[in-house]
């Protein structure tokens, strides 16, 4: 129900022909420019998405994946599910020593009043507790469809000899936008398949507690 505040779901009444498939078009349209939309052509026979598009708020298609042909057997042979790699002679290598403690000593939180509408921090209660009790260095933020990762690190780490210097600001690679800034001596980096304004807003909402 919350997702419907920010996306509108539509489904075509009649199937259409898409590269040899009879498929029904399902669209997920954003109600603002802070998120992308989605188009799915669902095959009437198999219910598989034979064509998908990621769409900007302007209607521009940013990415597309489509099938030319598809063959689904009635039964799947169990041999097809076995690993292809031969692990004979392999042995487990386990790390006995704990990893280096986190360099982050300032606790950061995602300010709900500053996050873009509909986005909130998602928690995963089944994950094991970290051995290092330092403040969190990663957040997952989502509106239910779009997922964004937030990483926090000590800003001085990039000033050490041999460290790769990373510029602040926006980087766009295909459908993925990344934005970095420095706050309270820490670098905050936000990455996700969302518009540039969204990663900027989320980065600004990550503030010292």
């Amino acid at each position: 129900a919350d997702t419907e505040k920010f996306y509108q779901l539509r489904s075509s009444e009649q199937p259409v022909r898409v590269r040899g498939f009879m498929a029904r078009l399902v669209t997920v349209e954003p109600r603002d420019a802070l998120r992308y939309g989605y188009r799915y052509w669902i095959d009437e026979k198999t219910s598989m998405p034979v064509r998908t598009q990621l769409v900007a708020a302007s209607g521009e298609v940013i990415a597309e994946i489509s099938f030319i042909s598809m063959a689904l057997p009635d039964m799947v042979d169990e041999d097809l599910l076995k690993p292809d790699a031969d692990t004979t002679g392999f042995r487990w290598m386990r790390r006995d020593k704990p990893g280096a403690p986190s360099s982050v000593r300032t606790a950061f939180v995602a300010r709900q009043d500053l996050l873009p509408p509909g986005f909130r921090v998602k928690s995963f209660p089944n994950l094991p507790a970290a051995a290092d009790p330092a403040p969190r260095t990663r957040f997952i933020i989502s509106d239910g469809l779009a997922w964004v990762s937030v990483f926090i690190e000590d800003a001085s780490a990039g000033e050490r000899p041999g460290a790769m210097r990373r510029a602040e600001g926006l980087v766009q690679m295909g459908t993925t936008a990344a934005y970095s800034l420095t706050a309270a001596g820490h670098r905050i980096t936000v990455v996700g398949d969302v518009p540039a304004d969204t990663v900027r807003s989320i980065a600004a909402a990550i503030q010292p507690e």
Side-chain angles (χ1 to χ4, degrees):
D2 288 342
T3 303
E4 291 182 354
K5 298 176 183 177
F6 309 103
Y7 296 92
Q8 185 172 15
L9 181 67
R10 299 178 185 271
S11 178
S12 61
E13 295 183 359
Q14 298 295 329
V16 295
R17 182 166 293 278
V18 181
R19 296 186 177 179
F21 300 97
M22 291 304 295
R24 194 174 301 272
L25 173 60
V26 176
T27 60
V28 183
E29 301 174 0
R31 298 183 185 273
D32 57 35
L34 293 173
R35 45 209 112 218
Y36 291 140
Y38 308 85
R39 296 173 185 157
Y40 304 99
W41 283 262
I42 309 298
D43 182 37
E44 287 280 276
K45 182 179 178 181
T46 64
S47 297
M48 291 288 291
V50 294
R51 184 183 184 189
T52 64
Q53 291 179 342
L54 185 68
V55 187
S58 63
E60 176 190 1
V61 176
I62 302 172
E64 179 174 341
I65 300 173
S66 62
F67 287 92
I68 296 175
S69 64
M70 182 185 300
L72 296 178
D74 294 331
M75 296 289 293
V76 178
D77 192 321
E78 290 187 4
D79 288 340
L80 296 176
L81 304 178
K82 294 180 179 179
D84 293 332
D86 181 7
T87 58
T88 303
F90 281 35
R91 64 191 179 94
W92 284 101
M93 301 295 291
R94 301 187 184 278
R95 182 173 183 168
D96 296 328
K97 296 181 180 180
S102 169
S103 61
V104 174
R105 290 293 173 262
T106 301
F108 284 79
V109 295
R111 289 267 305 273
Q112 187 62 52
D113 58 320
L114 298 179
L115 285 173
F119 284 89
R120 58 177 58 88
V121 176
K122 298 293 184 179
S123 60
F124 300 91
N126 294 330
L127 291 179
D132 181 8
R136 293 177 62 180
T137 58
R138 184 186 182 197
F139 295 88
I140 299 294
I141 294 177
S142 174
D143 66 353
L145 287 179
W147 294 78
V148 179
S149 294
V150 179
F151 303 93
I152 302 171
E153 61 183 330
D154 185 350
S156 64
E159 301 173 359
R160 297 169 186 166
M164 180 178 65
R165 301 187 67 86
R166 287 165 289 179
E168 294 188 9
L170 178 69
V171 175
Q172 186 88 41
M173 296 182 63
T175 63
T176 303
Y179 188 79
S180 294
L181 57 78
T182 300
H186 291 74
R187 179 182 294 275
I188 299 170
T189 303
V190 181
V191 183
D193 285 346
V194 292
D197 287 345
T198 307
V199 289
R200 287 194 188 98
S201 298
I202 292 176
I206 308 299
Q207 297 192 359
E209 190 172 24

